Amino acid sequence: MASLPRLAIFVSFASLLLFSASSSQLTGAKESTTSSGDKVPLALYYESLCPYSANFIVNYLVRVFEDDELVSIVDLYLSPWGNAKIRSNGTFVCQHGEAECLLNTVEACAIHAWPKLEKNFPFIYCVEEKVHEGKYREWESCFGELALDPKPIQDCYSSGYGEKLELKYAAETNELEPPHQYVPWVVVDGKPLYEEYESVISYICEAYKGTATPKACSSQVSRSIIQKGRKTGRPSAPVCYKDSVVSNLSKMIRSAISKLIQAMVI
């Protein structure tokens, strides 16, 4: 729960990247040792109020950003949709209620309004840390904590553009192959990690084929991307299953029908 130190890291990280970009433009410096082609694609499909998505972002994904060498070899993609569904009338229903639909859209707007990772990830981290601490209703305080202007997010959300962004994330999530089973659904170099998502750094290191190998990778244990026979097993790390809302609703319906039948018999 030590939010201030990590937020300070993000602010420093953002400043460093912005300074580097400015220096490169002024001096015509050579490109970074790690080219875009060497970077490892890392995708996170998640939903804002799933406690396990929040835990992954706050306690695992953040470690990538705490290491300048690691973050330089990663191409991160965030998709804030998760297990949400689209009703027949076009509205959204989210696994953890309306507040989750709101925050999913807010985070989608943040990614759109601030396309640079050094700006959108600190905000998403801040929001998810509030979720992790059970204070998600205080998410708007992240604007002040990070000295960010809330207007781009407010405009995106109020104009309805955020919903269009969410439809895009919904389509991407629904087209995943293999299909996602739960969130957080972490994909490294095109391969889902399934229940091994907490070992994301090990998989990043294993997938990296460039020459600028981070020091952190030398200490990582090599492991298979997907262990045979574990794809359909119950995950060892906690997750939010995508069908839990449907199954709970089915239980409620079956219970109501059972009570109705009992009342008719009596």
Side-chain angles (χ1 to χ4, degrees):
M1 294 188 182
S3 60
L4 288 179
R6 278 184 168 171
L7 284 176
I9 288 172
F10 291 143
V11 172
S12 299
F13 168 67
S15 300
L16 177 62
L17 288 184
L18 290 172
F19 174 77
S20 298
S22 300
S23 299
S24 177
Q25 290 174 357
L26 290 173
T27 65
K30 292 182 180 180
E31 291 184 359
S32 171
T33 307
T34 305
S35 68
S36 58
D38 290 333
K39 290 191 174 186
V40 177
L42 167 61
L44 170 61
Y45 298 86
Y46 71 104
E47 57 193 21
S48 57
L49 289 187
C50 170
Y52 313 121
S53 291
N55 181 60
F56 175 73
I57 290 171
V58 170
N59 290 315
Y60 293 92
L61 185 58
V62 69
R63 296 176 188 172
V64 174
F65 291 86
E66 292 174 338
D67 187 311
D68 291 342
E69 292 181 340
L70 268 177
V71 77
S72 72
I73 69 167
V74 170
D75 184 11
L76 177 63
Y77 182 78
L78 299 171
S79 179
W81 174 258
N83 300 326
K85 299 181 184 299
I86 304 173
R87 296 189 182 97
S88 58
N89 63 1
T91 58
F92 305 154
V93 55
C94 296
Q95 191 167 34
H96 299 90
E98 292 182 5
E100 182 167 75
C101 286
L102 166 67
L103 289 181
N104 284 352
T105 307
V106 163
E107 294 187 16
C109 284
I111 295 167
H112 170 74
W114 305 311
K116 296 291 186 180
L117 190 62
E118 62 266 23
K119 200 163 186 180
N120 67 51
F121 186 77
F123 177 78
I124 290 171
Y125 171 89
C126 181
V127 173
E128 292 304 316
E129 187 175 46
K130 304 294 184 194
V131 175
H132 189 60
E133 296 174 347
K135 301 176 181 177
Y136 69 88
R137 292 180 180 84
E138 300 175 16
W139 68 270
E140 289 179 276
S141 65
C142 290
F143 293 120
E145 291 176 31
L146 295 167
L148 293 170
D149 180 4
K151 191 173 187 305
I153 307 303
Q154 293 168 345
D155 290 348
C156 173
Y157 185 86
S158 62
S159 68
Y161 189 69
E163 292 185 3
K164 293 181 180 179
L165 293 172
E166 280 293 271
L167 288 173
K168 182 197 75 166
Y169 288 125
E172 292 175 352
T173 302
N174 292 333
E175 290 172 4
L176 283 171
E177 190 58 45
H180 92 285
Q181 301 169 16
Y182 40 73
V183 295
W185 189 255
V186 183
V187 180
V188 173
D189 200 23
K191 300 179 179 67
L193 303 192
Y194 292 93
E195 67 268 37
E196 296 291 324
Y197 68 80
E198 291 180 348
S199 299
V200 61
I201 292 178
S202 294
Y203 286 95
I204 291 170
C205 291
E206 186 171 337
Y208 181 61
K209 305 304 180 187
T211 57
T213 305
K215 293 183 182 69
C217 289
S218 63
S219 63
Q220 296 298 319
V221 178
S222 178
R223 61 181 74 215
S224 299
I225 295 297
I226 302 297
Q227 293 185 22
K228 190 174 181 179
R230 297 184 67 180
K231 290 184 181 181
T232 58
R234 301 288 290 187
S236 56
V239 297
C240 293
Y241 283 95
K242 69 176 182 179
D243 293 326
S244 63
V245 171
V246 175
S247 61
N248 289 339
L249 180 60
S250 298
K251 289 178 183 177
M252 292 172 63
I253 293 173
R254 286 197 297 269
S255 177
I257 292 174
S258 176
K259 290 179 181 179
L260 179 61
I261 292 174
Q262 289 177 3
M264 291 174 64
V265 170
I266 294 173

